[in-house]
């Protein structure tokens, strides 16, 4: 199984809502990543988890809260988002955290904040 | 700020022609990777070239890396309509994978 599964595929939420994005992989990878991608732009790194510990936070606002419950799961908790946070959120995994090999990406969650 | 710049930003060719995309980056890297993205969905890894390699092939793909110029190129030979997508270079630096601006390729049947 070489898949990274993200749920939901689409999400519409209000600015006062709390929601979570989920990401799962069963490749035994020990590094997992959240990226944000706006239309016609490249993916931008948000967070890196290495061996279930947060190793990189790219100065992401606190309204985005990552969580890694175990080595296969990665969540992104959303609270009090703004319309400009609407984007495609991509999860990725790699065998370990040094990016010495390819990363596997999920299909993304397309988030709309209204 | 993004690590890589790519050119051209957009490329339109006929089926059967070759497509070349270029990527430049700013800092020392461990490796450089190329990804494809169809219709704003997930990215698919195409090829990885390490900093001590100069050229790599995979099927119809040929990648070169010039660390002295901090640049790389991706050549797709004998293009097909199915190659229509956005192509991104990505540099691996201290545990991060940082993407370039991307090239949008359209292959006309």
């Amino acid at each position: 199984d070489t898949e990274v599964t993200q749920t939901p595929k689409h999400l519409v939420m209000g600015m006062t809502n709390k929601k979570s994005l989920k990401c799962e992989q069963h490749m035994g990878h020990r590094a997992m990543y959240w990226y944000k991608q706006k239309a016609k732009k490249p993916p931008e790194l948000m967070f890196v988890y290495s061996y279930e510990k947060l190793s990189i936070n790219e100065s992401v606002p606190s309204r985005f809260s990552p969580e890694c419950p175990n080595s296969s799961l990665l969540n992104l908790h959303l609270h009090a988002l703004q319309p400009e946070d609407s984007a495609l959120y991509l999860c990725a995994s790699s065998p370990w955290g040094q990016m010495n090999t390819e990363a596997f990406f999920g299909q993304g969650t397309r988030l709309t904040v209204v | 700020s993004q690590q890589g710049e790519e050119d051209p930003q957009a490329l339109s060719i006929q089926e059967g022609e070759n497509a070349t995309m270029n990527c430049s980056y700013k800092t020392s890297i461990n490796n450089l990777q190329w990804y494809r993205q169809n219709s704003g969905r997930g990215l698919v890894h195409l090829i990885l070239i390490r900093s001590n390699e100069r050229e790599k092939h995979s099927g119809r793909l040929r990648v070169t890396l010039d660390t002295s110029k901090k640049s790389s190129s991706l050549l797709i030979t004998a293009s097909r309509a199915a190659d229509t997508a956005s192509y991104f270079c990505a540099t691996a630096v201290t545990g991060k994978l940082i993407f370039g601006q991307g090239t949008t390729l359209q292959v006309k049947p």
Side-chain angles (χ1 to χ4, degrees), chain A residues 12-25:
Chain A
V12 179
M13 63 183 290
M15 290 188 281
T16 58
N17 291 160
K18 285 185 181 180
K19 296 286 184 183
S20 296
L21 309 185
K22 297 190 175 184
C23 175
E24 191 168 2
Q25 57 87 14

Side-chain angles (χ1 to χ4, degrees), chain A residues 27-97:
Chain A
M27 295 176 278
H29 289 174
R30 303 314 301 269
M32 297 185 76
Y33 311 81
W34 281 115
Y35 281 84
K36 173 183 176 180
Q37 187 179 24
K38 302 282 275 185
K40 299 188 186 304
K41 295 290 186 183
E44 292 184 0
L45 182 64
M46 300 175 72
F47 302 104
V48 179
Y49 271 84
S50 182
Y51 292 86
E52 299 157 52
K53 288 187 172 17
L54 182 64
S55 60
I56 296 175
N57 176 344
E58 292 286 89
S59 303
V60 178
S62 60
R63 58 185 184 269
F64 296 90
S65 176
E67 178 196 22
C68 189
N70 59 57
S71 60
S72 299
L73 292 174
L74 186 66
N75 298 322
L76 186 62
H77 302 298
L78 314 172
H79 174 53
L81 294 193
Q82 304 297 310
E84 58 264 30
D85 296 321
S86 298
L88 181 68
Y89 288 84
L90 293 160
C91 173
S93 71
S94 66
W96 46 83

Side-chain angles (χ1 to χ4, degrees), chain A residues 33 35 37 42-45 56 58 88 90 97-103 105-108 110, chain B residues 2 30-31 33 35 37 39-43 45 48 50 88 92 94-97 99-101:
Chain A
Y33 311 81
Y35 281 84
Q37 187 179 24
E44 292 184 0
L45 182 64
I56 296 175
E58 292 286 89
L88 181 68
L90 293 160
Q98 289 305 310
M99 278 298 183
N100 289 329
T101 60
E102 66 182 284
F105 281 81
Q107 289 299 298
R110 191 165 297 282
Chain B
Q2 294 299 320
N30 297 321
N31 63 67
Q33 304 179 30
Y35 288 81
Q37 186 176 38
S39 303
R41 299 307 293 185
L43 288 94
H45 181 266
L48 180 153
R50 302 193 188 283
F88 294 94
T94 58
K96 303 179 186 182
L97 194 62
F99 287 86
Q101 294 300 304

